Amino acid sequence: MASFLNITSPPFFSSRTSLSPSPPPTLTAQLTQFKKGWCWKLKCMPSSGPSQETDSEPPETAPSPSNSASLLSSSSVSTYNWCAGLGGVGFLETGYLTFLKLTNSDAFCPIGGGNCGDVLSSDYAVVFGVPLPLIGMISYGLVAALGLQWSGKKFPFGIEESNGRLLLLGCTTSMAVASGYFLYILSTKFSGTSCTYCLLSTFLSFSLFFITLKDFGLEEIQKFLGLQLCIASVVIFSLNTSYAPLQPAGSSSLTDINLEYFTTEITTPSSPFAISLARHLQSTGAKMYGAFWCSHCQEQKQMFGKEAAELLNYVECFPNGFRKGTKMIKACADVKLEGFPTWVINGQVLSGDQELSELAKVSGFKIEESNQPS
């Protein structure tokens, strides 16, 4: 009992126990060894078990919701910046084309010569009476404004970020579908035509679509796939309805027409009167408007003869050929021609081929006796 008290008692009891006789050395040594071993076990047991693995291997921490939200937020900011930049480029391009369309000006085409102007002046450059570049300018402007506004985390009208991403996806989907449709029109109705502005707009539209789409996961894309298909269907249906009058039923021969520009040789000789009249018409600024495929225009030139026809101020209204949807050049459109050929002499408009004597009378050319028309 004395030895047991010596192990478990506090230190201040040791002075009393020392009054008792000391145990044999062997027993004391055994108790001391037992005490040390028992205390060592008490100290080591808490460090054994699962806590030891915890100290050696740090626990795996799952990403917190705040970290996931920050990653999504930074990705969205990058998407909004791209939308603002590419939308701004598209806005400038379509704004320039809108100005040309509204002022009926010729487009500068760095590649393809005058082909850009042919596409811009065609019937396919108008949707329900609204110039197509104007629709594009509004679309690009909307995407650029949304991207610029939301890149600064400013969501007006109480719009949440998830709804903002969905709105951008809808806008860019409609733009990409429309660009694909117009690319089909360009390749079929304007075969062989190179339109730099058309290709640039197509590139911008598809880039905006894929940049917006990358923010959506696979599950979200499957969820909104039906909405995207509805948007694509509405866009295609609207464009088909707008262009339906350009493709009347039973006139496939007209819609497939594609005439390359050609010249017709004038074989008749020119009389002295025809040459004098042609010089007079040239000096007064009289102009003859015609088309390379117009038979009456060729007959009018044959009346003047080869030498005299070369002196006339002749304006070709389709210098790049004719195909369905191609419009006349601006110089001919400004005159508001109703047919070919058309003469404009001293502000007076004469439609159809004219006799040389009638042209001389209208232009004020004095017919000399020796130069009477035969």
Side-chain angles (χ1 to χ4, degrees), residues 81-329:
N81 290 335
W82 275 107
C83 289
L86 294 179
V89 174
F91 179 80
L92 294 177
E93 179 212 3
T94 51
Y96 168 68
L97 296 178
T98 300
F99 170 77
L100 296 180
K101 183 68 176 177
L102 296 179
T103 58
N104 202 20
S105 304
D106 294 331
F108 168 73
C109 194
I111 301 176
N115 293 331
C116 294
D118 295 342
V119 176
L120 185 61
S121 61
S122 68
D123 294 333
Y124 291 99
V126 178
V127 179
F128 293 113
V130 181
L132 181 60
L134 179 60
I135 299 176
M137 185 179 68
I138 295 175
S139 301
Y140 282 116
L142 176 61
V143 172
L146 293 178
L148 189 62
Q149 182 79 7
W150 293 345
S151 61
K153 290 302 177 182
K154 299 178 181 179
F155 299 92
F157 310 111
I159 299 178
E160 298 180 356
E161 184 173 3
S162 58
N163 295 331
R165 294 168 59 231
L166 186 59
L167 178 60
L168 271 180
L169 180 62
C171 293
T172 55
T173 298
S174 61
M175 294 168 63
V177 172
S179 295
Y181 184 92
F182 292 126
L183 192 62
Y184 166 77
I185 293 294
L186 182 65
S187 61
T188 55
K189 305 302 180 181
F190 299 91
S191 58
T193 300
S194 176
C195 179
T196 306
Y197 300 107
C198 306
L199 299 179
L200 176 59
S201 182
T202 302
F203 170 76
L204 292 175
S205 298
F206 277 96
S207 297
L208 287 171
F209 171 69
F210 286 115
I211 288 174
T212 307
L213 189 65
K214 76 178 181 62
D215 271 354
F216 291 81
L218 182 59
E219 295 182 358
E220 287 183 300
I221 293 176
Q222 294 176 350
K223 180 180 178 181
F224 299 122
L225 181 60
L227 176 62
Q228 290 179 282
L229 292 177
C230 290
I231 294 175
S233 301
V234 170
V235 171
I236 295 176
F237 176 78
S238 301
L239 293 176
N240 281 334
T241 303
S242 176
Y243 295 143
L246 302 181
Q247 302 175 2
S251 61
S252 59
S253 59
L254 293 177
T255 58
D256 294 338
I257 190 171
N258 186 2
L259 293 178
E260 299 293 336
Y261 177 77
F262 61 87
T263 58
T264 302
E265 183 181 2
I266 307 300
T267 58
T268 58
S270 298
S271 64
F273 172 77
I275 296 177
S276 300
L277 176 60
R279 289 174 177 170
H280 172 73
L281 293 173
Q282 184 185 49
S283 63
T284 58
K287 293 182 179 181
M288 172 186 171
Y289 297 87
F292 67 95
W293 42 264
C294 172
S295 58
H296 294 283
C297 299
Q298 304 306 323
E299 293 174 1
Q300 183 74 86
K301 293 179 181 180
Q302 294 287 358
M303 291 183 186
F304 278 91
K306 183 176 181 180
E307 296 82 1
E310 295 177 353
L311 299 175
L312 297 175
N313 290 325
Y314 175 73
V315 179
E316 174 59 53
C317 295
F318 298 93
N320 297 312
F322 178 81
R323 59 181 60 85
K324 187 62 179 180
T326 302
K327 290 188 176 182
M328 296 179 291
I329 62 175

Side-chain angles (χ1 to χ4, degrees), residues 22-33:
S22 299
T26 56
L27 179 60
T28 303
Q30 292 178 359
L31 291 175
T32 303
Q33 184 178 2

Side-chain angles (χ1 to χ4, degrees), residues 346-368:
N346 296 329
Q348 185 175 353
V349 179
L350 302 175
S351 298
D353 48 341
Q354 306 292 325
E355 295 293 335
L356 298 186
S357 58
E358 181 65 18
L359 294 175
K361 177 180 178 181
V362 174
S363 63
F365 178 68
K366 297 180 179 180
I367 304 175
E368 301 177 359

